[in-house]
Amino acid sequence: MNETLSQIDGSGRQESMLVAAHLSKRYEDGVLALDDLSLAVAPGEIYAMLGGNGAGKTTTINLFLNFIDPTSGQAIVDGIVTHEEPLTARQKIAYVSENVMLYTNFTALQNLDYFARLGGQNDYSKEEYRTALLRVGLQEEAHGKRLRDFSKGMRQKCGIAIAILKDAPAILLDEPTSGLDPKAGLEFISLLDDLRSEGKAILMSTHDIFRAKQIANTIGIMNEGKLVMQKTTEELRGENLEELYVNYMVSGMAVAS
Amino acid sequence: MFKTLIEKELKEIIGSTRFAVTFGVCACLIVLAFYVGARNYQISQTRYEAAIAENFRQMEGITEWLNVNHHIYLPPNPVSSLVTGISNDIGRNIQVQGLGELRAEDSRFNNDPLFAVFRFLDLDFIFQIILSLFAILFAYNAICGEKEQGTLRLTFANGIPKDKYILGKISGSFLALALPLLIPILIGCLLLPIMGIPMSSQDWGKLALVILAGYLYFGIFLSLSVWVSGLTHRSSNAFLLLLVIWIFSVLILPRSAVLIAGRAVDVISVDEISAQKSVLNAQIWREDRDKMNEFKPSEDTEIDQIMQDFQKMMQDLSAERDQRMRELGGRLAEQRRNEQSVQERLAFSLARLSPSAAFSLAVMNLAGTSIDLKQHFLDAASAYQQSYASFMREKTGGTLKGGGMVMVFRRDGDDVTPKEIDPQEIPVFQYQPPSVATVFNASFLDFGLLALFNILFFAGAYTTFLRYDVR
């Protein structure tokens, strides 16, 4: 934990792909959604943010995407402060939302083609799109179907394929396993592992303690806008994460060690 | 990236079932409007030719030019049949006598009131109602729909500048909707020569301008819809708001403008003018009667000389009577025209706050069926009346009909069989519809307004979206 914060504050900044440096967000209605969040995700690492609704997970992702400006602090992607150079920063991020809603009138392949081009990837062939869809577990017969006929899980897979095709160094995942069945969930974990091996820095918000423990390098628990606990999986070895999580949530304990 | 955004709009809109259905309906209506216009032209042309033939037929057997009842008719025009404007409401038939006031009678709606009930399905109607609804239907959720769907968030997770996105959105939507509409328009244009409608190059020019005005009008509702879509966060709210704007703009504002102008500016009525003319006419007749009573030839004057003197006096009286009536008629007509002009200016200025009114006025001017049509026809008839009067004076030795009393006398014992007149000698009335340059000048203000509305609404959509919360 301390090592990570030293990266944020000092010379280690360049090493981390995703950095939140004392990031706070107070909305216009006065709600403090995020309170002095500091975290860092290095290339080849997965960071899982756990927390209930309103804990500040999605606000953190929105700040990294610069959909909102921070009240104080900085969200940094590959050394780029997102609210200073949002367009450049976004080029380095692939994003999968909780409910992937693509263009229902388009087929899976058409959606992939459109979003790949938006992401600056203009040279993919149809075969490469098919390979990406197969990689996320979407069967070939579904590739040419319109998304209006897709289940939530199938759409989610499409969204992940889009993120893969963007080939960005950082990936933001907002509740990515929420629509997946257990088998697809397992496949997804394996996929994340592959992406990590490719050197992607992955920041994932989730309610799924089990999956977080299974795949993440670092786990942070958020409550009411604060990061109340942050530990590596090694630090968590021997501890009961579920119990920790419930304790932090119930007691609302402040400040991670 | 811009190309990608445009391509996506094209694919998304054209690939939707909603597009297939609404485009099918619009395409049918556009082609139908051309067909109905062409058929109306054919019917009007047949009636026009029949009316001219009947006019000449009624002159058969007439031996005195003074007995001729000559009528001129407003010829149908192909573009006027496509954008009917007020052409069916004004009289198409004027009796010309060489003297006196001209009055256009026998309007189509006067003769066939059934057609006035729901009016025609012309291009003005199709573009004004259908195209604006078509634009709203596809653009009301352009921004908020994407937000609701979640695709806006995903799109902006990429390095897309908002200005490029909104430009791509509007351009793509315009192309996706406007380009397919060219197909039924071109089919409609092809129908015209196929159905034997004689379109001159001037007519094609006017029709092209009508279509251009239609696209400008379509662009207004498209950018307005995108703007409203960016002002709201729910598609249903955007649709409701646009529907209210549409009703107000298309149905209420133009009509209200006319009502307000009618209340605000008094115009001397036709009945009032007639009453004043009748008073003067009666007074002149009284004076003429006194003068006729005073006519006393000396006893030693020859009968021929008496008749000539009387005829000359009658002609002088007729000329004087015509002069006085014309002066009063001219003054009252000018007063009415001036008041009408003020009323029209006020009505049109208010109505032009609505893009629909600006569009309608533009296309009616282009088609030559605007409110000026009647005056244009009367002016042409008035000019014709001069040449007709010269012709009649030549034929009758100076006497004209329309001045009131005509005396024709013949000596006892004259047994010469009078010769029939040749109606073909009568000068031909040729109505020249205004040229492309003239109609474009007349519609320039409305074209400018249509362009201005486009710029305003586009700027509104653009600036609103730059501040739009894409989350």
Side-chain angles (χ1 to χ4, degrees), chain A residues 6-50:
Chain A
S6 74
Q7 286 179 331
I8 295 162
D9 297 327
S11 59
R13 180 172 290 184
Q14 291 304 315
E15 293 171 18
S16 297
M17 182 58 66
L18 292 166
V19 176
H22 305 290
L23 200 54
S24 296
K25 177 65 187 177
R26 187 181 290 279
Y27 286 111
E28 283 170 8
D29 58 6
V31 173
L32 183 64
L34 202 62
D35 188 5
D36 196 30
L37 173 76
S38 290
L39 60 81
V41 190
E45 270 188 13
I46 298 177
Y47 189 112
M49 288 188 291
L50 287 171

Side-chain angles (χ1 to χ4, degrees), chain A residues 112-113 116 121 124 128-129 132 160-168:
Chain A
L112 256 62
D113 182 50
Q121 306 288 354
Y124 283 129
E128 285 169 301
Y129 291 137
I160 296 162
I162 287 168
I164 292 171
L165 284 168
K166 190 171 179 186
D167 197 24

Side-chain angles (χ1 to χ4, degrees), chain A residues 96-102 104 136 138 146-160 174-181 184 207:
Chain A
V96 180
S97 65
E98 181 182 357
N99 291 308
V100 174
M101 298 299 287
L102 302 171
T104 51
V136 297
L138 200 67
R146 292 188 185 210
L147 257 80
R148 71 164 79 102
D149 303 323
F150 276 28
S151 67
K152 188 181 174 188
M154 288 164 86
R155 286 203 307 268
Q156 201 76 357
K157 286 176 181 174
C158 265
I160 296 162
D174 194 358
E175 306 285 356
T177 53
S178 66
L180 303 182
D181 58 40
H207 294 290

Side-chain angles (χ1 to χ4, degrees), chain B residues 68-124:
Chain B
V68 166
N69 276 323
H70 179 45
H71 292 258
I72 57 172
Y73 303 91
L74 180 65
N77 177 273
V79 186
S80 304
S81 302
L82 294 169
V83 180
T84 51
I86 65 154
S87 62
N88 291 312
D89 301 78
I90 64 160
R92 309 187 71 87
N93 164 8
I94 294 177
Q95 185 176 13
V96 184
Q97 294 178 314
L99 275 179
E101 197 180 340
L102 296 172
R103 190 166 293 154
E105 288 166 344
D106 292 341
S107 73
R108 181 158 188 203
F109 284 165
N110 188 41
N111 294 336
D112 302 312
L114 171 67
F115 296 106
V117 178
F118 299 116
R119 304 256 154 179
F120 282 116
L121 186 76
D122 66 352
L123 283 182
D124 182 12

Side-chain angles (χ1 to χ4, degrees), chain B residues 200-213:
Chain B
S200 66
S201 57
Q202 292 274 322
D203 292 333
W204 284 117
K206 289 176 192 173
L207 185 56
L209 286 170
V210 167
I211 293 165
L212 175 67

Side-chain angles (χ1 to χ4, degrees), chain A residues 5 8 134 147 202 222:
Chain A
L5 286 176
I8 295 162
L134 288 171
L147 257 80
I202 301 170
M222 297 184 73

Side-chain angles (χ1 to χ4, degrees), chain B residues 179-255:
Chain B
L179 285 181
L181 284 175
L182 270 181
I183 299 168
I185 289 173
L186 289 175
I187 293 173
C189 289
L190 271 175
L191 263 183
L192 300 175
I194 289 170
M195 291 176 73
I197 309 301
M199 293 282 286
S200 66
S201 57
Q202 292 274 322
D203 292 333
W204 284 117
K206 289 176 192 173
L207 185 56
L209 286 170
V210 167
I211 293 165
L212 175 67
Y215 272 106
L216 281 172
Y217 177 70
F218 176 69
I220 290 171
F221 275 91
L222 190 77
S223 37
L224 173 69
S225 303
V226 175
W227 186 13
V228 170
S229 176
L231 288 170
T232 51
H233 291 271
R234 281 173 179 272
S235 303
S236 52
N237 290 347
F239 190 72
L240 199 66
L241 186 57
L242 281 163
L243 204 60
V244 171
I245 293 172
W246 184 86
I247 290 170
F248 191 75
S249 163
V250 177
L251 302 178
I252 296 178
L253 191 55
R255 287 162 176 79

